[in-house]
């Protein structure tokens, strides 16, 4: 039998009377000779067959074997805010994956390496804590430890309103943060402290507003107005 914790494992077996040593083989290769009835080792990704043979002077006892399966968990978990109201969750690539099992906010999806592309997943978050957990199901038939990440998500601004004075437009929204990151017409970035933005427009205004929080991922909201002659 064996017990495994992260990358470390201990192989255990019953003592055989009269035997002084035990040889431990990994995939047919001798890796250790021990006097105890246990062997600790670092686990490598994949499927390894361990065989233990009891040894006495001039005598071998036919060994017993056990298969040890291990696959690395995902790492480098992170959230990325997408345009508008979506989030993208990414993780590191893992070798020998059959599929990733992704659990997010009590929903479950299965992603093959082909379908998940660059090991990421997009979803519509909830306002509040969003927890995503990823488990690797390997081609060897074993699963990785589950890796999780929780992130607080805050609501986007709402209540957009606007007024025109000549060719100037002032856009306002509900005040929910100390400052706001603006993307203007898809090209110009600006940070403002007021919940308002004034611009001179000729054709129209395309405005993305993202509140700035210290410990919270903020969702963006869009405002657009067209100018007609």
């Amino acid at each position: 039998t064996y017990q495994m914790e992260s990358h470390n494992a201990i192989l255990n077996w019953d003592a055989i009377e009269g035997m002084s040593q035990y040889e431990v083989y990994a995939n047919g290769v001798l890796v250790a000779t021990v006097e105890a009835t246990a062997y600790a080792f670092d686990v490598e990704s994949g499927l390894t067959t361990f065989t233990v043979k009891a040894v006495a002077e001039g005598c071998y006892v036919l060994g017993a074997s056990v298969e040890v399966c291990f696959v690395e968990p995902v790492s480098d978990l992170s959230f990325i805010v997408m345009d508008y109201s979506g989030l993208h969750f990414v993780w590191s690539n893992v070798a020998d994956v059959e599929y990733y099992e992704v659990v997010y906010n009590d929903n479950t999806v299965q992603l093959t390496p082909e379908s998940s592309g660059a090991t990421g997943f997009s979803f519509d978050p909830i306002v509040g804590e969003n927890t995503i957990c990823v488990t690797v199901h390997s081609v060897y038939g074993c699963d990785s430890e589950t890796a999780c990440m929780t992130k607080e998500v805050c609501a986007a601004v709402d209540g957009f309103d606007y007024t025109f004075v000549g060719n100037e437009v002032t856009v306002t929204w509900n005040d929910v943060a100390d400052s706001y990151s603006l993307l203007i017409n898809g090209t110009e970035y600006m940070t403002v402290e007021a919940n308002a933005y004034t611009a001179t427009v000729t054709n129209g205004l395309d405005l993305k507003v993202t509140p700035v929080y210290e410990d919270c991922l903020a969702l963006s909201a869009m405002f657009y107005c067209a100018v007609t002659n």
Side-chain angles (χ1 to χ4, degrees):
T1 62
Y2 68 94
Q3 294 84 41
M4 183 160 24
E5 183 175 345
S6 186
H7 289 75
N8 308 115
I10 299 177
L11 196 64
N12 297 281
W13 58 88
D14 295 331
I16 298 178
E17 187 175 352
M19 296 295 158
S20 57
Q21 292 181 326
Y22 301 90
E23 292 180 349
V24 181
Y25 295 79
N27 291 335
V29 178
L30 179 64
V31 293
T33 300
V34 298
E35 295 181 359
T37 57
Y39 171 66
F41 57 96
D42 293 331
V43 184
E44 294 184 359
S45 184
L47 191 63
T48 305
T49 300
F50 283 92
T51 303
V52 179
K53 297 180 180 179
V55 182
E57 188 171 343
C59 179
Y60 278 84
V61 173
L62 187 63
S65 299
V66 64
E67 288 186 334
V68 176
C69 187
F70 175 74
V71 60
E72 293 275 358
V74 300
S75 58
D76 300 328
L77 309 175
S78 63
F79 285 95
I80 300 172
V81 178
M82 301 172 62
D83 283 344
Y84 312 119
S85 60
L87 283 183
H88 193 63
F89 183 72
V90 296
W91 57 87
S92 60
N93 187 39
V94 177
D96 302 321
V97 176
E98 182 179 6
Y99 65 92
Y100 297 100
E101 180 178 315
V102 183
V103 179
Y104 67 103
N105 299 335
D106 298 325
N107 300 294
T108 302
V109 295
Q110 292 182 0
L111 302 173
T112 64
E114 293 79 15
S115 67
S116 61
T119 58
F121 175 69
S122 298
F123 68 104
D124 292 326
I126 60 174
V127 175
E129 286 191 348
N130 287 254
T131 298
I132 290 192
C133 297
V134 181
T135 304
V136 178
H137 294 262
S138 75
V139 296
Y140 306 109
C142 58
D143 303 337
S144 73
E145 294 181 344
T146 299
C148 296
M149 185 176 186
T150 298
K151 195 69 177 180
E152 184 83 10
V153 174
C154 293
V157 300
D158 58 7
F160 280 109
D161 197 4
Y162 67 98
T163 56
F164 270 99
V165 177
N167 62 346
E168 280 193 347
V169 61
T170 297
V171 183
T172 59
W173 54 86
N174 289 337
D175 196 6
V176 297
D178 293 333
S179 61
Y180 302 88
S181 175
L182 307 181
L183 175 60
I184 305 157
N185 294 327
T187 58
E188 181 185 354
Y189 285 92
M190 176 184 298
T191 298
V192 297
E193 294 184 355
N195 58 318
Y197 171 72
T198 299
T200 300
V201 295
T202 54
N203 297 317
L205 175 65
D206 190 342
L207 183 66
K208 182 171 81 170
V209 181
T210 307
V212 178
Y213 301 102
E214 289 186 5
D215 302 313
C216 186
L217 280 177
L219 302 179
S220 301
M222 298 296 300
F223 170 84
Y224 176 76
C225 69
V227 175
T228 59
N229 296 323

